[in-house]
Amino acid sequence: MGASAAAGVQMVAARPCISASQGMLTSRAAVSRIGRALSTTTGFTTCPRICYSSPLGSSKRSGVAIRAMSSESGPQGLPIDLRGKRAFIAGVADDNGYGWAIAKALAAAGAEILVGTWVPALNIFETSLRRGKFDESRKLPDGSLMEIVKVYPLDAVYDSPEDVPEDVKGNKRYAGSSNWTVKEVAESVKNDFGSIDILVHSLANGPEVTKPLLETSRRGYLAALSASSYSFVSLLQHFLPIMNPGGGASISLTYIASERAIPGYGGGMSSAKAALESDTKVLAFEAGRKGKIRVNTISAGPLGSRAAKAIGFIEKMIEYSYVNAPLQKELLADEVGNTAAFLVSPLASAITGSTVYVDNGLNTMGLAVDSPTISS
């Protein structure tokens, strides 16, 4: 598999509001002035007005309790607003991985969604979409269905047509598809839409992932790095020229095996994830200086996605995480999607070059609480 959806290692959109702590303002006049100022500020034209009320039984107190009021009904909160933004998510081939969850979260926040799907999986994915197989999982918080504006064939292992070997060109799984190298896809997106604001890398593949590192071949090792880490470099390299500067963002998905030994997660995949995290820092600097684009990566806990099952023991990884993580609960793909939506939104405008853990806190643990040594 050239570059599959990330192998399990992968917001509620609320209306705007402004909050202030009690006692911050000491007069109704001050409240009124700030309310008027906010109403004329471009970035807060839809924000609720600030109102004041005296706490019950506190008529003699000089403090003023501040609360946000809105002319609109429904829950209030700090918004993740991606309306007017366009996102390209590379590595969506079904509806049960982190790539799909990220696409849904971005769509829920108002972004326009484009996806890149591994060429051999393209026909099945598009057919499933067309026949409504994914309709249930396409549902957004407001009841509408996520719309994928366009699906592009993509194999991120190859940068340009010149890189594609003859045996791949003649492979029947690639028959009927064209313009699927990274360079060609970036050009197609530019021709179709002009630009994007968000780039998501949800790709990983290690042909020898079940082999211990000591038994991994050079070819298998380099293939893992090519599909799982350099593919991110290539995507950003080719998409950066069409990313809107200032406010643009890119994210990838990594895994704790980049820094801890995870027996069974082999074939060079741990090295690929380590390279991805290191590249995130360098790319954050280069893309930040060149295009004012932010670059981050999410270190997600294990998920029982279809792609993750290639590891061979994903269910045991999930069970281990549940038993030993500080938050003893199932990790949901939507939680990773929500984090991604935050990271590419204006709310994270000062965050770049970071590895953000979304794993119920498992990364913080130095000892397994279910160890027989502990229990004895």
Side-chain angles (χ1 to χ4, degrees), residues 173-252:
R173 296 195 299 173
Y174 287 78
S177 295
S178 60
N179 301 322
W180 42 260
T181 64
V182 176
K183 179 181 179 181
E184 292 173 303
V185 173
E187 290 174 346
S188 295
V189 172
K190 179 181 179 180
N191 292 335
D192 293 339
F193 299 96
S195 63
I196 65 170
D197 304 275
I198 299 163
L199 177 65
V200 179
H201 175 277
S202 180
L203 302 167
N205 184 53
E208 299 180 16
V209 66
T210 59
K211 292 184 179 181
L213 191 56
L214 280 174
E215 298 176 15
T216 299
S217 68
R218 181 184 297 271
R219 183 175 181 177
Y221 184 93
L222 295 177
L225 266 72
S226 174
S228 309
S229 53
Y230 184 77
S231 57
F232 183 44
V233 177
S234 180
L235 280 167
L236 192 53
Q237 179 185 112
H238 288 90
F239 275 87
L240 186 62
I242 66 169
M243 293 186 73
N244 292 318
S250 181
I251 55 172
S252 63

Side-chain angles (χ1 to χ4, degrees), residues 86-293:
R86 183 177 297 116
F88 182 85
I89 298 100
V92 179
D94 54 41
D95 65 340
N96 67 352
Y98 284 140
W100 178 272
I102 291 173
K104 278 187 66 177
L106 301 189
E112 184 177 76
I113 304 299
L114 314 175
V115 303
T117 299
W118 187 50
V119 185
L122 181 66
N123 184 53
I124 295 176
F125 180 66
E126 289 190 315
T127 300
S128 296
L129 273 176
R130 188 169 55 252
R131 294 180 177 176
K133 182 179 178 181
F134 299 149
D135 281 0
E136 185 61 32
S137 57
R138 285 173 60 201
K139 287 184 179 179
L140 300 177
D142 65 359
S144 65
L145 298 182
M146 172 180 67
E147 179 184 0
I148 297 177
V149 178
K150 189 164 184 177
V151 180
Y152 292 86
L154 170 67
D155 193 330
V157 166
Y158 305 108
D159 300 324
S160 65
E162 296 74 29
D163 299 327
V164 183
E166 290 301 322
D167 63 321
V168 174
K169 290 179 181 179
N171 192 311
K172 63 180 182 180
R173 296 195 299 173
Y174 287 78
S177 295
S178 60
N179 301 322
W180 42 260
T181 64
V182 176
K183 179 181 179 181
E184 292 173 303
V185 173
E187 290 174 346
S188 295
V189 172
K190 179 181 179 180
N191 292 335
D192 293 339
F193 299 96
S195 63
I196 65 170
D197 304 275
I198 299 163
L199 177 65
V200 179
H201 175 277
S202 180
L203 302 167
N205 184 53
E208 299 180 16
V209 66
T210 59
K211 292 184 179 181
L213 191 56
L214 280 174
E215 298 176 15
T216 299
S217 68
R218 181 184 297 271
R219 183 175 181 177
Y221 184 93
L222 295 177
L225 266 72
S226 174
S228 309
S229 53
Y230 184 77
S231 57
F232 183 44
V233 177
S234 180
L235 280 167
L236 192 53
Q237 179 185 112
H238 288 90
F239 275 87
L240 186 62
I242 66 169
M243 293 186 73
N244 292 318
S250 181
I251 55 172
S252 63
L253 293 165
T254 184
Y255 182 51
I256 193 69
S258 63
E259 54 187 282
R260 308 282 175 85
I262 307 292
Y265 191 73
M269 281 303 301
S270 58
S271 306
K273 293 302 183 182
L276 183 65
E277 292 181 22
S278 178
D279 291 342
T280 295
K281 296 177 176 62
V282 178
L283 292 172
F285 172 77
E286 295 182 358
R289 291 300 179 92
K290 188 174 183 178
K292 297 182 179 179
I293 302 299

Side-chain angles (χ1 to χ4, degrees), residues 315-331:
E315 296 302 329
K316 291 183 179 179
M317 295 170 70
I318 294 173
E319 180 182 359
Y320 177 88
S321 177
Y322 180 86
V323 173
N324 292 287
L327 298 178
Q328 198 171 17
K329 66 179 184 63
E330 177 186 4
L331 177 66

Side-chain angles (χ1 to χ4, degrees), residues 303-372:
L303 176 74
S305 65
R306 186 174 295 111
K309 292 178 181 177
I311 299 173
F313 62 104
I314 186 65
E315 296 302 329
K316 291 183 179 179
M317 295 170 70
I318 294 173
E319 180 182 359
Y320 177 88
S321 177
Y322 180 86
V323 173
N324 292 287
L327 298 178
Q328 198 171 17
K329 66 179 184 63
E330 177 186 4
L331 177 66
L332 303 177
D334 288 349
E335 293 173 307
V336 172
N338 294 345
T339 303
F342 161 71
L343 286 173
V344 302
S345 78
L347 296 181
S349 59
I351 301 175
T352 192
S354 297
T355 297
V356 179
Y357 297 94
V358 184
D359 61 359
N360 287 329
L362 186 63
N363 72 92
T364 65
M365 299 301 293
L367 184 66
V369 296
D370 64 345
S371 169

